[in-house]
Amino acid sequence: MMKMKASMLNICLLILVTNSQAFGFGTHTTTTHVHRSTVSTEIRAIERGDGMSGGGGVPMPKSKEKAKDKANDENNNEDDGLVRPKVGAEMPDGRPSWFRVPAPSLKEDSRYSKVKDSLQNLSLNTVCEEAQCPNIGECWNGGTGTIMLLGDTCTRGCMFCAVNTSQTPPPPDPFEPFKTAEAVSEWGVDYIVLTSVDRDDIEDGGAGHFATTVELLKMKKPELLVECLVSDFRGDKDSVSKLAMSGLDVYAHNMETVERLQKFVRDPRAGYAQSLSTLEHAKKAKPDLYTKTSLMLGLGETDEEVIQTMKDLRAIDVDVVTFGQYLRPTENHLSVVNYVTPEKFEYFRKVGEEMGFKYVASGPMVRSSYKAGEFYLKHMIAKERKEAMAS
């Protein structure tokens, strides 16, 4: 974010560098004044790095079979140059120039303040705050928030996420579905996202809690579109069906990364095949339900692996996919392997649309719950349902 102050004698440039971390998007800002004539790409790269050097991840660990092959073949490359993320690995130098987001408005009459006050008064959690999302200003000022059900403590420990973890989190608030319906009605929005931490300590993974919340929201405002971004419910198809049939409009579950990197990025209880199976079953349980998923990029994945993941998703008729840049929450989480360029994100968007996804959101600051995507989905769903009624 830049502001320029001009005078008759000289022009100074105010550079505001914002470091926002992903999923644990902690925010730190520093301000520097320099004369305009001294600001160059080279100097900025020296002061904060350009994000395009350093990092690189670490080589994939050798399997026993590959170790034997290497012993017999001195020319055997180390896992064909494939890399993976690792905690404590070298980070890229600085942050690329394309990472810029507007700061939230703190004015008392802003929608950001209204949403924040509404959540605090009803003791509700949002993933926007818990994960310190950089898009919180844009989304909340637009009247959109993502409410996090089932508390703020997760039973899993994924290596990219900064949400609190415990094997014995507090029990869910039984009145939370009612509080949620009340809060959403106060916001006056027509599209809401409900998400949660993983709750492996609950028999159905929290599916019943979600279903009750959806039903109450629909009772209070039938025209409200509801998206649920949920866990894999340990692969329990009954839990998936319970939520899919609750009246929600979009069933979302995040793949997070490509198949090869799953065990390095996600909790051992999660997995590529298990995530695909929940998305597939949700669609089978209610064929007209929209299904959605998201992947983080910058963890060492290859273009071919991203495209293969899209193929696997289309094979089970997933409707929407989003891609965003992974950013390290803290030094105790996975280091960023590389910053993916806006051009690469645009490439994946085009590939996804050509494959038949109904919507692809792809960009450095895109997150699975993002106002721009929800706006598009709202109009797409309304249009398709109107066409279905007319036919």
Side-chain angles (χ1 to χ4, degrees), residues 187-245:
W187 293 354
V189 297
D190 45 20
Y191 192 111
I192 187 69
V193 181
L194 305 176
T195 189
S196 78
V197 291
D198 285 284
R199 291 300 298 258
D200 296 309
D201 59 315
I202 302 174
E203 186 175 355
D204 68 353
H209 193 89
F210 264 96
T212 299
T213 306
V214 172
E215 290 163 3
L216 289 171
L217 285 167
K218 290 290 187 175
M219 285 176 59
K220 208 166 187 68
K221 189 175 181 180
E223 69 275 18
L224 178 71
L225 295 179
V226 181
E227 173 183 330
C228 291
L229 172 59
V230 295
S231 74
D232 56 20
F233 298 126
R234 302 186 302 274
D236 184 351
K237 293 183 178 179
D238 289 339
S239 293
V240 175
S241 294
K242 184 185 296 184
L243 179 57
M245 301 300 292

Side-chain angles (χ1 to χ4, degrees), residues 204-328:
D204 68 353
H209 193 89
F210 264 96
T212 299
T213 306
V214 172
E215 290 163 3
L216 289 171
L217 285 167
K218 290 290 187 175
M219 285 176 59
K220 208 166 187 68
K221 189 175 181 180
E223 69 275 18
L224 178 71
L225 295 179
V226 181
E227 173 183 330
C228 291
L229 172 59
V230 295
S231 74
D232 56 20
F233 298 126
R234 302 186 302 274
D236 184 351
K237 293 183 178 179
D238 289 339
S239 293
V240 175
S241 294
K242 184 185 296 184
L243 179 57
M245 301 300 292
S246 67
L248 81 166
D249 302 283
V250 180
Y251 189 108
H253 169 68
N254 289 344
M255 299 295 296
E256 308 295 7
T257 188
V258 299
E259 185 172 16
R260 174 177 60 87
L261 298 176
Q262 292 279 320
K263 65 180 180 180
F264 305 108
V265 175
R266 304 175 76 188
D267 185 275
R269 286 165 285 187
Y272 191 81
Q274 183 164 278
S275 287
L276 284 174
S277 71
T278 62
L279 288 164
E280 181 177 23
H281 188 70
K283 180 73 79 171
K284 287 181 178 179
K286 194 169 186 290
D288 61 345
L289 187 66
Y290 291 86
T291 49
K292 174 184 173 183
T293 194
S294 180
L295 277 83
M296 301 173 289
L297 303 185
L299 288 165
E301 68 287 331
T302 66
D303 289 7
E304 293 75 19
E305 288 172 325
V306 174
I307 292 172
Q308 182 58 54
T309 302
M310 283 194 274
K311 290 179 179 178
D312 294 340
L313 292 168
R314 286 303 301 136
I316 58 171
D317 202 23
V318 169
D319 301 293
V320 179
V321 63
T322 71
F323 298 104
Q325 172 70 51
Y326 167 69
L327 301 172
R328 184 178 66 172

Side-chain angles (χ1 to χ4, degrees), residues 50-58 83-86 89-96 98-99 257 260-261 296-303 305-306 324-328 334-342 344-345 348 364:
D50 61 3
M52 304 313 291
S53 58
V58 298
V83 298
R84 65 179 177 90
K86 183 180 180 181
E90 180 186 3
M91 288 280 290
D93 297 326
R95 190 70 60 82
W98 55 78
F99 280 93
T257 188
R260 174 177 60 87
L261 298 176
M296 301 173 289
L297 303 185
L299 288 165
E301 68 287 331
T302 66
D303 289 7
E305 288 172 325
V306 174
Q325 172 70 51
Y326 167 69
L327 301 172
R328 184 178 66 172
L334 294 171
S335 294
V336 175
V337 173
N338 66 293
Y339 288 115
V340 180
T341 65
K344 182 65 69 176
F345 277 109
F348 288 135

